Amino acid sequence: MDSELIRRLAHVVGDDGLVLDEAAQAPYVEDWLRKWRGRTPVVVRPRNTTEVAAVMRLCRQNGTPVVPQGGNTGMSGGAAPDDSGAQVILSLNRMKRIREVDAVNNTITVDAGVLLADVQDAARDAGRHFPLSLGAEGSCTIGGNLATNAGGTAVLRYGNTRDLALGLEVVLPDGRVWSGLRGLRKDNTGYDLRGLFIGSEGTLGIITGAVLKLYPRPLGRATAWVGAPSPDAVVSLLTRLQARCGERLTAFEMMSAYCVTLVSRHVSGAACPLAGAHAYHALIELSDAVPEGLAELLEPALAGPLEEGLIADAAIATNESQAKAMWRLREGISQAQVRAGKAVKHDIALPISRLAAFIKEADAAVEREFPGLPIVNFGHVGDGNLHYNVLLPLDVPHEEYVQLTAGLNRCVHDLVVQRGGSISAEHGVGQLRRDELRRYKSTVEMDLMLMIKRALDPDQLMNPGKLL
Ligand code: FAD
Ligand code: 2HG
Ligand code: ZN
């Protein structure tokens, strides 16, 4: 790379704001799944929005492509550079300022590089709740959450990241700053620019700040683990609990028996709270601003389905540590997959009414076309979002992995689309689903997206090779 550009970047962010050493670049050039590994001439770490804007201006003048990166926990290869060695990584990991908490407006304004867990803590310190919650919350950033429109385990009650953001600050590819940090719940002054940048996966600009919604703290919580004979039974239970518990139903997660076995085997200390064998499991959480009464609501709500045989067994956590152990079992599935094999990941969404039938059909199709391959089926059933992954052996040769991935994608995604679903629910398109997107989106939809991309990033310098 042009050493003059490096010198000018150093002038903007300081020498300690550049990572040039190859060994020190390792955590930036490879993703969490260790699936994508690229090269970069430099990782640039600005300290504030003004520095981001200056970096973007320099990169544009030089025609240098930019890969935005937050916590690098994404699962679609969106934050990894390609192997050309020409793409600069712009990391937000020095932008960690909580700018303002407005407890009356119920909003928090933060830098994009703040870790999700730190946003949650700042909200808690102010006597409020920031509900976005996912397994990587200790290392992902709010900027990454916004850029991927992350989902997680509380979407059922609070919505996804898009629903939690009121305002954004974005540095455009030409270095101009769009200051849209409005804490308004009503603002109809034209096109929804905020919505455009959310979920754009770093292809339209750099998100540098956000105004996020806060909620009352959930002082009461009840958590249960349930064993059920089928996805059908799990979905019926969801419907019953929604009717009985209303919006107190905060999380409803499902996983197959194979997921539970996998975590018990590969994550130390994880164990199923139920004794018997069950084809499917569900993790249920109720929460409320009122501290008392949730276990009393959950217990009879599960007793009926148990007596009728809709579900086979249930355990309600009697203390915080039991509840945490249940969540550890659920959140351990990603780590267990990494240890057990190479997962072909499908992050899909379907109408909840069609989930159970889809699983039946997809299980049969995968077994017919790829006999013997284990299916790691779990997800946020309350949102119709399944992680319908298929596990290949750790030592599968690369060629075979590529071939099987293509075949499995066709098998699973064709069925998803036929049933009115989406091939990308919460992890983003990134590099992983770029070809799949083109296959399934209509020409009109692709054209509209390309027009937006060309208008905002005419030099095609923002995260090339991702999403579009
Ligand atoms: P990165 O991985 O750094 O980047 C992701 C994408 O966003 C890239 O395209 C990148 O270019 C872009 N980007 C990052 N920051 C910015 C910015 N400031 N401006 C513009 N573009 C930017 N995801 C879910 O949705 N739900 C889950 O339940 C969930 N669970 C997970 C569990 C584990 C154990 C792990 C490892 C991941 C999980 N994920 C989940 C995926 C991941 O954590 C999320 O996608 C998260 O939102 C990514 O945040 P990040 O800061 O790590 O982003
Ligand atoms: C989850 O729900 C994450 O745990 C990760 O979205 C999914 O590992 C996966 O495929
Ligand atoms: Zn998920």
Side-chain angles (χ1 to χ4, degrees), residues 32 68 70-74 78 140-141 144-145 147-148 150-152 201-202 207 426 463:
W32 188 87
N72 199 15
T73 68
C140 65
T141 63
N145 302 149
T148 56
E201 302 186 38
I207 299 170
E426 60 168 10
N463 217 1

Side-chain angles (χ1 to χ4, degrees), residues 36-50:
W36 293 275
R37 194 188 166 81
R39 291 188 308 123
T40 187
V42 61
V43 181
V44 188
R45 303 163 62 232
R47 285 164 290 207
N48 53 48
T49 305
T50 309

